[in-house]
Amino acid sequence: MIEPTNICNLNCPLCMAGSGLDKRPKGSMNFRQFKEVVSPAKDFLEFIYLWGWGEPFLAPDIMEMIDYVGKKNIVVDVHTNGTVLNKKIMDQFRGNPKVKITFSIDGATQKTYGYYRRGGQLREVLKNLSYLIKLKEKYKLSSITIIWQFLIMRTNEREISTVCQMAEEIGVDKLRLKTIGIGKKHPQYNDFMPDNRKYYRERKQPITRKECEFINPGCPYVLWNGDVTPCCHDYTQDYLMGNALGESLLGIWQNKKYSQFRKDYRKNINTLCNTKCKFKKTSQIYFKEFTFK
C-alpha cells in the first residue's frame, strides 16, 4: 500500500485528512521516488493499493505511477473522491492499465452527499464517473474495473435502493456498500450511526475471515515520504519499520523489527493489532456488493 499524497481537497469529518487529525507535513511522492520504492520489490508484488490519507489524483505524478505499475503486470487499486478528475487525466486510462478505481460517493442527492463529502459537488463527481465509464466502453478497456463505494450512515441509509438503481444505470462494474467505522465515544456518533442496526459494522456473531492481509500475505504501508508502517491505521507512526527511500521494501519487510511485529501479532501480544485495532472479529466492513457486469 503506497500513499501518493496526504493532501486532500475535501473535509470529510471522520477522515484523518479531512478532519485535520493528520498532523504530518503535507506532501506528495514523486515518480522517481515511487520507482525507487516499487522497482526492487516488483517481482514479489501482485497488487498495489495506491491510496492513503489523501486524494491520490492530487499527486502530480499519479498517472505515471499507474502506467509504470501496469507495465509490470501488477494490479493497481486506487480510491478517489472523484472531484479532481478531468478529461486530461482520465484520457490517460486509454492505455488500459490493470486498475480497479473506486469512486467514494455517499449520496443520491447533493444534500446527503455533501453532509459527509464536505466541499464536494455530486453533479461533478457523477459527470467524471460517467465520462470514465464511457471511455472504458468506447475503447474496450477490459483491464479497468470501476467501482462505486457508498458509505452507509444515518443521513443516507434510506437512499440505498436509489443508489443501487443509479449505479446500474450509469454503468459501473460494481457497487460496494460499506459500513461506517465510528466509536460510541465519538462526539458525532449519533449523527452518523445508521438507524437500522443491520447496517452496523459490529455483528452479533464473529465474521469468518482469513488472517489480516497487512500480516498475511503482507501489505506494508508506505507513506508519501517513504516511511513504512505495518498498517494504515498506525495514525501517528508509532510502529515505524524503516524508510523505503533509503532501504529496499523487501529488506524492511524482512528486518528484525518487522519480523518481531508479526510474531507478536500471532502470539496475541501485539499492541497495535491485538489491542488498538478498531477491527474486531465481529466487524463486517462491507455490508453488500453488487456486480452489474
Side-chain angles (χ1 to χ4, degrees), residues 6 32 34 57 60 64 85 97 111 134 143 154 178 186 197-198 204 220 269 274 278:
N6 68 337
R32 178 189 60 79
F34 180 77
F57 288 95
E64 285 185 272
L85 290 172
K111 182 178 180 179
K134 290 176 181 176
S143 295
R154 179 163 297 184
K178 186 178 182 181
H186 194 285
R197 295 187 64 88
K198 75 177 182 179
K204 292 183 179 180
I269 57 173
N274 304 123
K278 68 178 183 179

Side-chain angles (χ1 to χ4, degrees), residues 130-160:
S130 178
Y131 183 83
L132 186 60
I133 290 168
K134 290 176 181 176
L135 194 75
K136 175 183 175 178
E137 293 172 347
K138 180 178 179 179
Y139 294 100
K140 296 180 172 49
L141 306 179
S142 58
S143 295
I144 297 177
T145 302
I146 302 173
I147 302 167
W148 178 331
Q149 182 166 285
F150 183 87
L151 186 62
I152 307 170
M153 60 194 91
R154 179 163 297 184
T155 53
N156 67 13
E157 61 186 301
R158 293 166 185 82
E159 293 184 345
I160 289 177

Side-chain angles (χ1 to χ4, degrees), residues 173-209:
D173 298 297
K174 295 181 180 181
L175 169 67
R176 183 183 293 143
L177 304 180
K178 186 178 182 181
T179 58
I180 195 166
I182 182 172
K184 290 184 178 180
K185 294 182 179 180
H186 194 285
Q188 291 183 286
Y189 178 84
N190 291 327
D191 296 332
F192 288 102
M193 206 63 189
D195 286 323
N196 194 325
R197 295 187 64 88
K198 75 177 182 179
Y199 300 132
Y200 282 20
R201 174 162 292 182
E202 300 308 321
R203 319 304 292 177
K204 292 183 179 180
Q205 299 296 326
I207 305 297
T208 302
R209 65 160 58 90

Side-chain angles (χ1 to χ4, degrees), residues 20 22 60 62 88 97 115 121 153 163 172 187 204 276 292:
D22 184 359
I62 183 67
K88 183 179 178 180
Y115 185 78
Q121 295 296 318
M153 60 194 91
V163 165
V172 296
K204 292 183 179 180
K276 295 182 179 180
F292 300 117

Side-chain angles (χ1 to χ4, degrees), residues 217-239:
C219 185
Y221 181 43
V222 184
L223 281 64
W224 72 266
N225 66 350
D227 283 345
V228 178
T229 68
C231 177
C232 61
H233 295 285
D234 179 14
Y235 303 127
T236 50
Q237 297 79 59
D238 295 327
Y239 300 84

Side-chain angles (χ1 to χ4, degrees), residues 30-45:
N30 62 42
F31 181 53
R32 178 189 60 79
Q33 293 169 325
F34 180 77
K35 286 198 298 182
E36 186 177 340
V37 173
V38 173
S39 184
K42 65 181 184 300
D43 294 334
F44 304 93
L45 298 176

